[in-house]
Every structure is written in structure tokens, then in C-alpha cells.
Amino acid sequence: MSNFEQFHFDFYQSNYTIEDQEEVCNSYGSDKNLCESRKSPTEKHPAALVPSDVQPSPQSYTGHILQPACGPDAAAQLGYVDGFDEETPLLEELGINFEHIWQKTLTVLNPMKPADASIMDETDLTGPMVFCLAIGATLLMAGKVHFGYVYGISAMGCLAMHALLNLMGASGVSHGCVASVLGYCLLPMVILSSSAVVFSLQGIPGTVFSLFIVGWCSLSASKIFTSALAMEGQQLLIAYPCALLYGLFALLAVF
């Protein structure tokens, strides 16, 4: 250990101490150049250690702090759209198209008009849900709480008609298309349930009016199904089960 301590002492042994430098600087306190001359070159010129390729360019920054300095075509190249002009409308994303709803409603209101075959290409359940709710609301105004019956009969009728149309037609049909057509054809039934609020349908005039509404609904539904599924000559076969389905809704309105 004595050898190591002697080596340590010899290694740090020097005649020059920090106190000597402070005394020299204090003795010449008014002359700052003498103290500054004792500083190392790195303290005088700190920029000399920075490589030339890291040196900042003399050109000034022309952009803003919160905006990148890019050209006007950079946003178009990155696929960025400024604003909401080219975005898809919310109702279209949700599958709600008021123009198609209005066209299907006119097709139901005019059963003698030929139906467009493309009406089955789009599954729209907005109108059927509104019409079912309208039937339940008008029956409620007449003192009949039949919301469960309305939606239950609608669901069972859609399943039965879907099975029947797949057996009768060469091309298959989806559940959504069947529910859309049967739901839109409930529009005349809304008129019947609204009439039950004003006067009673339990008589000969009410029975005749109910039969007329049932025939109207079944004729419109069978017309759309035969046009969309290319089932020419089978409209009466399709109208019969549709009449049975809409007859159940008529019974809810009459009794």
C-alpha cells in the first residue's frame, strides 16, 4: 500500500496550484485581458469544435412555427383534403337516402304503376321502421297498445315471405330486401290505423275500407316482388300470402 500511495502522490504532485492562479487574477483585477489569456482555446472559440457539415445554413427560415414550410402541392400529393367538401355526407354513410325513400313511397302509393327492378338492389329499412312506428303510435292514440304485436308480426312475416320467395323464384333474395319491400307497403296500413282514431271500423263501411287497404298493400308488394325477381305470371301467388300478412295488421286496427 505504501508504494501505491507514493505513486498517487507523485502523479498529482505539481508546483502549480489553483490558488496561485486566483492570486494572479486578483492582483490584476482591473486588467481582464490577463485572466482571459489564461483560458483554454476551447473556451475562447467554442464554435471551432463544431463540424462544418453541422453548421447552420445562412438562409433564414421562411415558414411559421406551427406550419411546415412545404409547397402548395404537398397536401395534394399526400392525399390530404382541406375542408369537408369532398367528404361523404353522414346520411349517406348511414344508408339513409331521402330520394330513394320518396321513390319507393310513390311506387307503393300508385299500385298500377310498373315498379322498377332496381328497387330491390338497395336494402333500406328506414322507411319500414318509420311506418311500423307510425302504426303503433296511431293504435296507441286509439287506446290500443300493440307495439309488440306490430314488430312481432313484421318479423315473422318477413321470415315466412323470405322462405316462400326463395322456393318460388329462380334467383335468391336477401332478408333485408324482403323486409324493405314489406315494410314500405305498410304505408296504406298507416292510413287505416289513423282512421281508427277518428271513427270505429267495426261495421260494414269499416270492413270494406279495411279490405280495400289490405288489397292495396298486397297488390303493391306483389308487384314489386314480381318485377324485381322476374316472376311474371306469379303475382297472384305472391299476393295471397301478402294479403294474409297485411290482414293481421288490419285486425289490429279494427278490433
Side-chain angles (χ1 to χ4, degrees), residues 15-89:
N15 296 326
Y16 180 78
T17 60
I18 300 177
E19 287 78 3
D20 297 337
Q21 182 180 4
E22 293 178 353
E23 291 176 0
V24 173
C25 292
N26 293 331
S27 61
Y28 298 94
S30 61
D31 190 3
K32 297 181 180 179
N33 295 328
L34 181 60
C35 293
E36 291 178 356
S37 63
R38 294 179 178 272
K39 294 182 179 180
S40 60
T42 57
E43 294 178 354
K44 290 183 179 181
H45 308 284
L49 298 178
V50 182
S52 59
D53 54 350
V54 188
Q55 291 286 346
S57 60
Q59 298 178 357
S60 60
Y61 180 68
T62 58
H64 299 281
I65 297 177
L66 300 179
Q67 296 181 359
C70 56
D73 299 334
Q77 295 176 359
L78 296 176
Y80 175 75
V81 179
D82 189 10
F84 300 95
D85 296 336
E86 299 183 7
E87 290 188 0
T88 306

Side-chain angles (χ1 to χ4, degrees), residues 82-159:
D82 189 10
F84 300 95
D85 296 336
E86 299 183 7
E87 290 188 0
T88 306
L90 179 60
L91 294 178
E92 186 176 349
E93 291 182 356
L94 296 176
I96 301 176
N97 193 329
F98 290 104
E99 183 179 357
H100 293 175
I101 294 174
W102 178 247
Q103 291 177 358
K104 293 179 181 179
T105 303
L106 292 179
T107 304
V108 174
L109 291 177
N110 188 5
M112 299 303 174
K113 179 182 178 181
D116 190 5
S118 62
I119 199 172
M120 296 283 287
D121 296 339
E122 182 182 358
T123 302
D124 179 21
L125 297 180
T126 305
M129 293 296 294
V130 172
F131 295 155
C132 288
L133 184 61
I135 292 175
T138 51
L139 291 178
L140 182 62
M141 294 175 62
K144 305 173 184 178
V145 185
H146 293 328
F147 283 97
Y149 289 106
V150 170
Y151 287 104
I153 293 173
S154 301
M156 296 300 296
C158 290
L159 293 177

Side-chain angles (χ1 to χ4, degrees), residues 189 192 201 210-211 214 245-255:
M189 199 60 60
L192 180 64
L201 298 176
S210 300
L211 292 177
V214 170
L245 174 63
Y246 294 117
L248 297 177
F249 290 100
L251 291 176
L252 293 178
V254 173
F255 299 101

Side-chain angles (χ1 to χ4, degrees), residues 157-193:
C158 290
L159 293 177
M161 286 300 300
H162 175 264
L164 181 63
L165 291 175
N166 283 331
L167 292 175
M168 294 178 61
S171 59
V173 62
S174 63
H175 292 86
C177 293
V178 175
S180 179
V181 173
L182 294 178
Y184 272 102
C185 293
L186 280 175
L187 180 58
M189 199 60 60
V190 178
I191 301 175
L192 180 64
S193 60

